[in-house]
Amino acid sequence: MAQTIKNVIVIGASGSIGAPIFKALVDSGKFNVTVLSRPESDKTYADDVKVVKSDYSEASLVDAFKGQDAVVSALGSAGLAEEIKIIDAAVKAGVKRYLPSEYGSNTKNTKALSLIPMFGVKIQVKEHLKAQESKGLTWTAIATGPFFDWGLQMGLVGFNINTKEALILDGGNQAFSTTNLSQVGNSVVAVLSKPEETANQVIFVDSFTATQNEVLAELEKATGEKWKVTESTTEHAKTEGQALFAKGDFSGLLWLLKVIILGEGYGSDFTKDPGLDNKRLGLPNQDLASTAAAVAAGKSI
């Protein structure tokens, strides 16, 4: 009998990544969506959304997961250390599918992993998930590249929509795959809608794949302004990021993320390796031009 996913519980539903995932699941009309919330949270949801409180003890997690077909994790970086405990609780509760808080960069790439060791936590999570397959749990990790529309607010990929400033690295001709937050949500819906086709694997998606120079041209067109451009190198960004990290300044992570997104050999172009899964998931088309126009107009994508 084909596996179906109907009851879905979301962890981190009010966060930057969790909110669009939660919205997409609800808007799809395909699932009964529950939110896992900490006791101290005062976040409210629509009356038809079930909210389950948990202190993240094993017993409360198992109780929260009973009757759920899938657990979707959208934990922030501070919560990743709890993911293995959450997975174990899902297994005990009889959950069918687990989506870890993967998203982001290609953690299969050894060069990226060596530059940002904290990616190792995500590797550990996936290895732990593989070990649970014999116990009946399936899993899907979704790699999205940087979140484009969200990142434009704080210069993640070198562009700040608020200041109209661009930091171009290594000439700006390295292609990278990037995903809008709405497409992250679309991807989760698609994975849970195709449970057999997406079981026990890493899925790679995007909204579009482009170079920094292509992005700059579209942003200048959409805003009707010439942006202030600064040229630099990924080597400089690497040095700057590692120096900040060495001092305990975690703002260095932003520099190192720029390196793996915009540098050569870090697996950031999903169209080349390992290849995109958009088509087999049936994801809607999103492109650079329409995204730039929407962001410039202050509209959602």
Side-chain angles (χ1 to χ4, degrees):
M1 184 175 178
Q3 186 184 70
T4 57
I5 303 292
K6 187 64 179 176
N7 299 324
V8 180
I9 188 166
V10 182
I11 305 173
S14 62
S16 298
I17 309 306
I21 290 173
F22 170 74
K23 181 179 186 300
L25 288 168
V26 171
D27 290 351
S28 74
K30 294 181 176 182
F31 311 102
N32 302 317
V33 184
T34 299
V35 171
L36 186 73
S37 178
R38 292 187 182 273
E40 64 272 17
S41 174
D42 58 1
K43 175 68 178 178
T44 58
Y45 298 88
D47 291 340
D48 58 344
V49 175
K50 183 180 179 182
V51 178
V52 176
K53 298 286 187 177
S54 171
D55 61 6
Y56 280 64
S57 65
E58 181 181 273
S60 72
L61 287 169
V62 172
D63 188 56
F65 294 159
K66 284 180 178 177
Q68 298 295 330
D69 298 316
V71 174
V72 176
S73 173
L75 289 167
S77 56
L80 292 179
E82 295 188 280
E83 190 121 54
I84 287 178
K85 177 178 70 175
I86 295 169
I87 292 167
D88 290 343
V91 171
K92 290 183 178 180
V95 171
K96 300 175 184 177
R97 177 63 56 90
Y98 192 95
L99 272 63
S101 189
E102 176 79 6
Y103 318 112
S105 301
N106 179 5
T107 56
K108 285 185 172 183
N109 184 277
T110 55
K111 191 175 178 181
L113 182 60
S114 65
L115 185 62
I116 304 183
M118 68 177 60
F119 281 176
V121 176
K122 294 186 176 184
I123 299 295
Q124 292 171 11
V125 166
K126 289 194 287 292
E127 289 302 315
H128 191 68
L129 283 167
K130 291 175 185 177
Q132 309 313 306
E133 292 173 16
S134 61
K135 301 176 184 178
L137 182 70
T138 61
W139 60 275
T140 311
I142 304 174
T144 61
F147 311 120
F148 187 79
D149 49 345
W150 178 80
L152 283 179
Q153 304 299 324
M154 36 90 78
L156 179 60
V157 293
F159 302 94
N160 190 315
I161 191 72
N162 300 306
T163 62
K164 308 297 187 298
E165 292 179 296
L167 174 65
I168 303 297
L169 300 183
D170 298 346
N173 292 314
Q174 175 67 32
F176 63 97
S177 299
T178 183
T179 306
N180 294 318
L181 290 178
S182 62
Q183 190 79 318
V184 177
N186 294 335
S187 302
V188 171
V189 170
V191 163
L192 296 179
S193 300
K194 299 173 181 283
E196 293 188 334
E197 297 97 313
T198 59
N200 305 329
Q201 60 191 276
V202 180
I203 297 291
F204 290 83
V205 302
D206 76 347
S207 288
F208 51 85
T209 296
T211 67
Q212 276 197 299
N213 287 330
E214 290 168 340
V215 172
L216 177 61
E218 288 297 340
L219 287 173
E220 288 186 334
K221 178 181 177 182
T223 59
E225 298 179 40
K226 292 294 289 182
W227 284 35
K228 179 182 177 181
V229 176
T230 301
E231 299 272 355
S232 189
T233 66
T234 50
E235 190 59 38
H236 172 77
K238 179 179 177 181
T239 301
E240 184 77 15
Q242 290 177 328
L244 288 169
F245 247 44
K247 295 187 293 185
D249 186 342
F250 284 89
S251 67
L253 178 61
L254 186 60
W255 284 103
L256 297 181
L257 286 172
K258 284 183 172 67
V259 175
I260 66 170
I261 294 166
L262 304 171
E264 186 175 358
Y266 290 95
S268 58
D269 183 351
F270 297 169
T271 65
K272 291 183 176 179
D273 181 32
L276 286 168
D277 294 295
N278 291 37
K279 188 173 182 180
R280 71 183 179 106
L281 290 178
L283 294 182
N285 292 324
Q286 295 187 349
D287 59 56
L288 171 57
S290 59
T291 295
V295 173
K299 298 178 180 178
S300 58
I301 298 108

